[in-house]
Amino acid sequence: MPKWKLVTEFTFDSAHYIKDYDGPCGRMHGHTYKVRIEASSYSLHLSEYCPHPAMVSDFRTLRWAKKDVSKGGLDHCILNEVMPPEYETTSEMIAKYIYDETKKRVPLDVQLKVAVSETPNSWVEYEDD
Ligand SMILES: [Zn+2]
């Protein structure tokens, strides 16, 4: 079956701390978070910006988290204050948060995979089959 997969990467800079963590991650510090989003679907859609059904999802929609926090993104914020309390600010939960928020913005049949990295050597991936 024909299938399309979009992949986009972006970064945002933000501060966080891991609540009750016994160690340096428990103190406020910052990262340049790297995010990679894969979006796949078997059909093409129109978007908020394009009236023709010609895309899996608009790249602008997928990259919402890159925007400044004052414009609804995650850039230059304290993640602990912006993310709802049920999401701890580990990379695992940041990936799930970005997944959940992106899922609300894309057509129903678009499958997502979200990867988040805090450092050059480690990544976490989240998807929901
Ligand atoms: Zn950290």
Side-chain angles (χ1 to χ4, degrees):
M1 190 181 284
K3 186 178 183 180
W4 289 267
K5 178 159 87 173
L6 299 189
V7 183
T8 186
E9 289 188 343
F10 58 88
T11 62
F12 65 90
D13 297 312
S14 279
H16 82 137
Y17 57 90
I18 309 287
K19 198 170 44 187
D20 303 324
Y21 186 90
D22 182 17
C25 295
R27 297 192 298 266
M28 176 93 71
H29 61 283
H31 297 286
T32 295
Y33 287 94
K34 197 165 181 195
V35 179
R36 176 186 165 95
I37 298 182
E38 294 182 18
S40 340
S41 69
Y42 295 107
S43 63
L44 299 180
H45 314 95
L46 42 82
S47 86
E48 188 182 341
Y49 311 103
C50 175
H52 311 294
M55 44 186 77
V56 173
S57 165
D58 204 301
F59 279 114
R60 288 166 71 182
T61 303
L62 293 176
R63 295 164 68 87
W64 67 271
K66 183 179 174 56
K67 287 193 214 159
D68 191 83
V69 68
S70 65
K71 295 182 173 129
L74 295 176
D75 191 47
H76 282 76
C77 74
I78 299 169
L79 291 171
N80 305 71
E81 295 175 356
V82 171
M83 289 168 52
E86 63 266 30
Y87 297 91
E88 190 43 78
T89 63
T90 58
S91 294
E92 288 86 340
M93 293 297 275
I94 294 168
K96 177 168 169 30
Y97 177 67
I98 292 174
Y99 176 98
D100 291 344
E101 288 299 311
T102 306
K103 196 77 181 150
K104 295 178 191 168
R105 292 163 162 84
V106 297
L108 270 179
D109 67 321
V110 174
Q111 295 176 304
L112 294 174
K113 178 151 83 172
V114 175
V116 170
S117 166
E118 289 185 347
T119 66
N121 306 322
S122 6
W123 285 86
V124 59
E125 282 185 359
Y126 180 79
E127 60 191 319
D128 186 1
D129 296 328

